[in-house]
Amino acid sequence: KHDSEESKEECRRLRINDYNGISGIFRSLKQWPEALHYLLKAERIDALDPDIQNQLGVVYTEMRRTDLAEVAYNKAIKNYKRAFVSTDHKFLLSELYLNLGHMHSYNGNNNKSIECYNKSLQIYPKFTLPFQNKIMNLTYLFDQLDDKMYITNQHKLVNKLYKKNDIGYDFTNKHLVKIDGKINVGIISGDFVDHPVSFFISTFLRNFDSDRFNLTCYSECIINTSVYNKKLHFKTIKNLSSQQAADMIYDDKIHILFDLAGHTAFNRLDVFSLKPSPIQITYIGYPFTTGLNEMGYRITDNVCDGDFSVSQEFYTEKLVALKNCFLCYDP
């Protein structure tokens, strides 16, 4: 009888895990109704399973049913210790507050989202996602804050999260020599296609001067950049560690490395923190400073940042203005 009860419980958990796994495939494809279908099957087996309620919250948020998402997250938070898939219950609770904060952000409630991100960070202080989501949401509250430097100072804390290159890469004249007289430019992004950033960077990818520059795209997503320009070099850095990606960029002898994400999704500021390129520039995709000591410049214009003698203090990067407008939109 005892063995039979254990066997039934194991089968029950296996079915929940299988439904969650199938749902995960559809979540990765952003097919939310199909993902929801399998999560509801798992929920019928165990309505209090925190892993299932967590994923229900994610799917409901993406389907803009944040009313149902909030119910799911709160149920998961109440029962987080019952998890059997997530063995680190403490991290699961931190992730639940992160996801709940993301849901409030979707609703435009920045104060509630920041409150949730702070709870997540109290549980796991080194968790980068709630930290980055928090400082991104803070930028929406700039006009409401008495201390205008507060957001900048919060961004500077990113330097405590990422590993630094204590030895440093060797940027000697030999390493920086131009191949065929060309400057090697690298761009790190997860948004080369199917994203607002892609509509601003595509003109550069299509029309860069290939007589003067070699251009390499280091992507967090698997794409084919030849649709823009067959002279582009393309490398995937998804799932590479920060050190592996940095070593790749250094070995490619990149002279100038661009960031197109700031603290938004698919960013690789952890790679920039190791400084694999002597010149590192943030451009497009984020409305504030990265706070990263190793990011040297930020490209902007006089419309976005006005009088640089006033706005420069809010950035750790040196501001560089393009004439008229720093964006080039391709409709």
Side-chain angles (χ1 to χ4, degrees), residues 224-252:
N224 178 12
T225 53
S226 66
V227 297
Y228 292 125
N229 191 327
K230 295 189 183 301
K231 294 182 180 180
L232 285 171
H233 303 289
F234 171 75
K235 295 188 177 183
T236 303
I237 60 172
K238 185 177 178 64
N239 296 327
L240 292 186
S241 70
S242 55
Q243 193 65 60
Q244 288 172 324
D247 286 345
M248 175 190 292
I249 292 164
Y250 177 74
D251 291 341
D252 288 342

Side-chain angles (χ1 to χ4, degrees), residues 188-304:
I188 297 182
S189 180
D191 302 319
F192 287 113
V193 295
D194 193 28
H195 190 276
V197 165
S198 65
F199 290 100
F200 295 114
I201 197 62
S202 60
T203 47
F204 177 64
L205 299 181
R206 287 192 181 99
N207 302 310
F208 77 94
D209 188 346
S210 58
D211 291 331
R212 295 177 59 198
F213 302 99
N214 293 310
L215 185 55
T216 303
C217 296
Y218 299 94
S219 180
E220 270 292 293
C221 299
I222 299 173
I223 62 167
N224 178 12
T225 53
S226 66
V227 297
Y228 292 125
N229 191 327
K230 295 189 183 301
K231 294 182 180 180
L232 285 171
H233 303 289
F234 171 75
K235 295 188 177 183
T236 303
I237 60 172
K238 185 177 178 64
N239 296 327
L240 292 186
S241 70
S242 55
Q243 193 65 60
Q244 288 172 324
D247 286 345
M248 175 190 292
I249 292 164
Y250 177 74
D251 291 341
D252 288 342
K253 297 181 172 57
I254 298 298
H255 302 117
I256 304 172
L257 186 64
F258 282 90
D259 157 60
L260 302 186
H263 290 280
T264 62
F266 302 115
N267 79 79
R268 293 306 304 263
L269 292 181
D270 58 328
V271 177
F272 285 89
S273 183
L274 296 173
K275 200 173 183 182
S277 175
I279 299 174
Q280 302 194 145
I281 304 172
T282 185
Y283 174 53
I284 313 180
Y286 193 68
F288 217 81
T289 182
T290 63
L292 199 65
N293 293 336
E294 291 76 18
M295 195 71 74
Y297 302 91
R298 171 182 169 82
I299 294 180
T300 181
D301 57 39
N302 293 325
V303 176
C304 290

